[in-house]
Amino acid sequence: MKVKRYIGNTNQEVMQKIKEELGPEAVIVSNRKLRKKGIKGLFQKPVVEVVAAIDDAAYTDKSSLDTRDIKRLENIEYQMQYMGSMLKSLINGAEGAEVDKKYITYYQNMLDNEVDKDVAKSVIKRAEELYNRDKIGIYESVYNSILYFIGRPKPINVYPGQQKIVLFVGPTGVGKTTTIAKLAAILSIEQHKNVGLVTTDTYRIGAVDQLNLYGEILGIKVEVVCSPNDILQALRNNRDKDVVLIDTAGRGLNDSKHQQELKETIGTAKVDEIHLVISGNVSYKNCLDTIDSYSFLPSYKLIFTKLDDMTRYGIILNCCFTAGQPLSYITTGQNVPDDIQLAYPEEIAKHLLERP
Ligand SMILES: Nc1nc2c(ncn2[C@@H]2O[C@H](COP(=O)(O)OP(=O)(O)OP(=O)(O)O)[C@@H](O)[C@H]2O)c(=O)[nH]1
Ligand SMILES: [Mg+2]
């Protein structure tokens, strides 16, 4: 770390000097106006004093350094990060104090990645247990703790001779129909399964056409169901299929008629698994409301859509933690069928422990 004091008549003049000498990576440590000491100074224009600093690594080619130097620089970097985390947690109030010092950087990184404070504290609590029990490193303990709370992803597994009926639910516009189209394509084209498509969404104008369009491309006839009672006929028409994907209408969260219809559909259709689709680019509060309003479901898997529209992944951990349900897929764009993949907890955990 190189620290230097610069004096000049104006801010601009001093900044120019710093830029020339230390380069654009320099950080300003302090900036103040000074008067010369003594009575004479009172009558003179104040001068500007700026203290600037630059990390050695910022202007030294790392490849020319030996390993010991690199280790030293990395250590300084870690210590600065640690100090930054300590400062932030002090600013945030007493919360940081409840977290063991050795975890403070990871705790702060989780918060910066929009992990909820209570969730982050639970992660750290379990990490400490794992650290003591399994004699593993600090990073490994907190990483494993996140994996524990996210759980193993559960994709749609289709076995020969066992038809699977899968229902997709979720708020309006989260990407249910698009996700079903992606999954139908993957299951039929890549996994050579015989796929059936059913929609109960007769509320929204164009909803049936939307699924029909994908159905036509894949050569799958879409069965349209107008009431929960009609679903049995739709399923009879699909009895030769390995897997049947049922699309539903996105409705207001507190729509009790919608909830009742869903319950009837689940019961009548003898649904094998339900996937709750949540858009990743909304607030955690919004997700909590969604999870709450679907708490009447017996159990489900979580699909996160629109990850291409989000920068922080904390919401995924928050939702898994709160819902206590496993992930299945994540989607990363509008392209059918490319923008979908099995959820990857390891990548999510890694992201959450890095500085955003
Ligand atoms: N950026 C982005 N957009 C997506 C993704 N998935 C779906 N969308 C878009 O989100 C919009 C709504 O998608 P739909 O599949 O119609 O959503 P839905 O949940 O079926 O909507 P309703 O049936 O009206 O409740 C469309 O413009 C999709 O292209 C995704 O992963 N990323
Ligand atoms: Mg839809």
Side-chain angles (χ1 to χ4, degrees):
M1 173 75 56
K2 189 181 170 81
V3 181
K4 212 172 157 191
R5 183 169 166 262
Y6 292 84
I7 305 250
N9 289 322
T10 63
N11 240 329
Q12 221 176 0
E13 181 192 317
V14 179
M15 291 302 174
Q16 186 60 31
K17 255 194 237 169
I18 293 173
K19 213 167 146 195
E20 278 164 16
E21 273 196 50
L22 299 182
E25 305 279 350
V27 287
I28 306 304
V29 179
S30 71
N31 182 335
R32 61 177 178 154
K33 284 196 171 144
L34 282 182
R35 285 186 192 276
K36 281 201 180 129
K37 282 190 182 148
I39 195 121
K40 253 166 90 190
L42 283 174
F43 300 101
Q44 283 181 353
K45 234 180 133 220
V47 288
V48 176
E49 181 214 63
V50 177
V51 178
I54 184 150
D55 191 338
D56 291 354
Y59 65 93
T60 314
D61 179 7
K62 271 194 177 187
S63 64
S64 68
L65 297 170
D66 66 25
T67 345
R68 226 182 43 218
D69 282 339
I70 291 174
K71 277 238 153 68
R72 203 167 50 87
L73 285 173
E74 281 173 354
N75 195 22
I76 291 171
E77 201 177 321
Y78 173 79
Q79 298 219 1
M80 286 184 64
Q81 208 181 332
Y82 174 73
M83 275 155 59
S85 308
M86 285 291 265
L87 269 174
K88 273 194 186 171
S89 65
L90 279 174
I91 293 163
N92 280 346
E95 284 88 5
E98 289 173 38
V99 171
D100 189 293
K101 269 205 323 281
K102 64 179 177 296
Y103 284 114
I104 204 80
T105 301
Y106 299 127
Y107 174 72
Q108 191 58 52
N109 287 353
M110 280 194 276
L111 296 191
D112 290 347
N113 279 305
E114 291 175 8
V115 174
D116 177 72
K117 269 185 188 144
D118 290 335
V119 176
K121 276 185 208 161
S122 300
V123 167
I124 298 296
K125 190 164 172 275
R126 180 154 178 96
E128 283 188 292
E129 285 163 18
L130 296 177
Y131 178 80
N132 293 326
R133 192 192 73 187
D134 301 340
K135 309 276 173 271
I136 49 179
I138 298 167
Y139 178 85
E140 211 183 342
S141 67
V142 66
Y143 174 86
N144 286 354
S145 172
I146 294 177
L147 291 187
Y148 168 81
F149 286 114
I150 293 181
R152 294 309 313 153
K154 298 256 167 64
I156 300 172
N157 286 320
V158 183
Y159 304 106
Q162 287 176 33
Q163 187 186 59
K164 190 157 259 187
I165 298 175
V166 190
L167 184 79
F168 295 80
V169 298
T172 322
V174 288
K176 295 179 292 299
T177 308
T178 314
T179 303
I180 289 174
K182 292 171 183 172
L183 288 169
I186 289 169
L187 286 163
S188 63
I189 299 167
E190 284 179 16
Q191 298 183 21
H192 311 291
K193 302 291 180 221
N194 205 350
V195 180
L197 287 174
V198 173
T199 180
T200 65
D201 185 2
T202 51
Y203 298 93
R204 191 168 59 79
I205 297 166
V208 173
D209 292 344
Q210 189 189 357
L211 195 59
N212 260 333
L213 179 74
Y214 294 120
E216 270 169 33
I217 298 168
L218 296 168
I220 301 171
K221 182 178 177 298
V222 178
E223 296 284 340
V224 182
V225 170
C226 293
S227 81
N229 293 333
D230 295 345
I231 196 129
L232 284 178
Q233 186 54 47
L235 291 177
R236 268 196 289 276
N237 296 346
N238 275 304
R239 60 179 168 262
D240 60 324
K241 302 291 195 290
D242 300 318
V243 55
V244 181
L245 309 179
I246 308 178
D247 194 7
T248 61
R251 299 286 291 278
L253 290 181
N254 294 316
D255 187 333
S256 53
K257 186 164 167 261
H258 175 56
Q259 288 191 2
Q260 192 50 38
E261 278 177 10
L262 276 182
K263 277 186 202 161
E264 278 175 52
T265 306
I266 295 165
T268 317
K270 298 207 174 63
V271 166
D272 294 301
E273 55 184 79
I274 302 168
H275 293 248
L276 172 59
V277 185
I278 291 188
S279 171
N281 67 356
V282 297
S283 69
Y284 177 39
K285 163 88 181 57
N286 193 303
C287 289
L288 282 183
D289 289 345
T290 303
I291 289 169
D292 192 42
S293 64
Y294 284 93
S295 58
F296 68 93
L297 296 174
S299 68
Y300 56 84
K301 298 168 186 181
L302 279 164
I303 294 181
F304 278 91
T305 58
K306 312 195 186 187
L307 260 71
D308 51 310
D309 247 2
M310 69 197 260
T311 46
R312 315 269 154 97
Y313 296 94
I315 209 162
I316 301 181
L317 173 60
N318 295 343
C319 288
C320 290
F321 182 90
T322 312
Q325 306 286 344
L327 289 174
S328 54
Y329 300 94
I330 55 158
T331 79
T332 51
Q334 296 179 300
N335 297 320
V336 177
D338 292 340
D339 296 338
I340 188 164
Q341 52 189 294
L342 186 65
Y344 47 91
E346 289 79 6
E347 273 300 306
I348 298 167
K350 211 169 119 237
H351 267 294
L352 296 180
L353 295 176
E354 276 166 10
R355 238 180 333 162

